[in-house]
Amino acid sequence: DPTIPKAHFDGGEWFVNGTWDRIDNRYFPSRGTFANFEYLWSRPSLGADDEFEQVFGSAFTAKSFGLHTFLLGTRLGFTRDGAAPVQNVFRAGGIFRLSGYEPDELSGQDFGMVLLGYRYKLFATGWLPPYVGMTLEYGNTAANADDILDDALVNGSVYMGFNSPLGPLYIGYGFAEGGHRAYFLRIGNILGSKRTALAVPNVN
């Protein structure tokens, strides 16, 4: 929003993270599991303006039967021992991350969601085989972790995907309760980071 005044901030953080990656394809997985975890400490002694801690984790698994693939995933993020400033809050919205909202439209100190997905490979062989799929997503961001389930929103998406030479291409439509709608055209990895578009049919 151009009306929001510019602001300056300093950050200084320690963090530890780990990843378990047994997924067969980072863009259109058909089998295996992907999981990651991160714990972050922000400290004024490192130059940060604010003191807080955050924990984030995500996990996704895929299982295929012929041309049919089923996906299950979850993401959780919590802020503790302080309040994260605006540049560190968790954000949601966008493809496979509460798909009925625009990217980063939702934000909060805490975040949680689950995803169920189905994908069908239209052709078993050939150049750029197309996929069609759908997801059902449930979750939200919140100021307090206890409110995530109380204020959780039902989202969903339908999409077509191609594993193109430029990377995975997704074209689709997202929707959420309350009449929210979003259209998306995405080229590239949608795993992303913990604060940006992060999910499965690809899956971070």
Side-chain angles (χ1 to χ4, degrees):
D1 186 342
T3 64
I4 296 177
K6 294 182 179 180
H8 173 82
F9 64 87
D10 291 315
E13 303 161 351
W14 293 101
F15 67 90
V16 59
N17 61 27
T19 299
W20 171 267
D21 188 351
R22 291 296 181 267
I23 210 83
D24 65 332
N25 186 301
R26 291 179 64 84
Y27 306 130
F28 295 97
S30 60
R31 64 182 182 275
T33 299
F34 176 96
N36 73 329
F37 168 86
E38 180 173 302
Y39 202 106
L40 178 149
W41 297 262
S42 173
R43 291 292 184 266
S45 59
L46 298 175
D49 294 330
D50 300 277
E51 180 172 326
F52 63 92
E53 298 177 15
Q54 286 183 321
V55 59
F56 173 82
S58 66
F60 294 91
T61 188
K63 180 70 173 179
S64 293
F65 303 90
L67 302 179
H68 306 269
T69 300
F70 297 88
L71 305 138
L72 174 65
T74 185
R75 309 171 191 279
L76 294 170
F78 303 104
T79 302
R80 47 180 292 170
D81 295 335
V86 64
Q87 70 273 9
N88 287 90
V89 296
F90 294 100
R91 299 192 295 269
I95 180 173
F96 311 141
R97 194 179 174 87
L98 302 182
S99 299
Y101 289 83
E102 298 294 333
D104 299 338
E105 185 175 351
L106 302 172
S107 63
Q109 295 290 323
D110 304 289
F111 170 55
M113 67 166 287
V114 293
L115 176 147
L116 296 173
Y118 168 77
R119 192 182 67 238
Y120 179 71
K121 190 175 184 179
L122 291 177
F123 304 107
T125 59
W127 190 66
L128 299 182
Y131 301 85
V132 293
M134 62 183 69
T135 64
L136 177 64
E137 306 152 34
Y138 185 70
N140 204 350
T141 58
N144 299 294
D146 295 340
D147 296 329
I148 292 176
L149 286 179
D150 293 339
D151 299 332
L153 303 165
V154 177
N155 285 246
S157 72
V158 292
Y159 65 92
M160 176 172 282
F162 302 87
N163 204 355
S164 77
L166 297 176
L169 168 64
Y170 296 89
I171 304 169
Y173 170 70
F175 51 90
E177 61 179 282
H180 289 270
R181 301 289 185 268
Y183 298 89
F184 51 83
L185 171 62
R186 176 69 180 264
I187 300 175
N189 188 358
I190 59 173
L191 278 172
S193 74
K194 69 175 180 294
R195 303 184 201 286
T196 58
L198 155 169
V200 118
N202 143 157
V203 256
N204 176 178

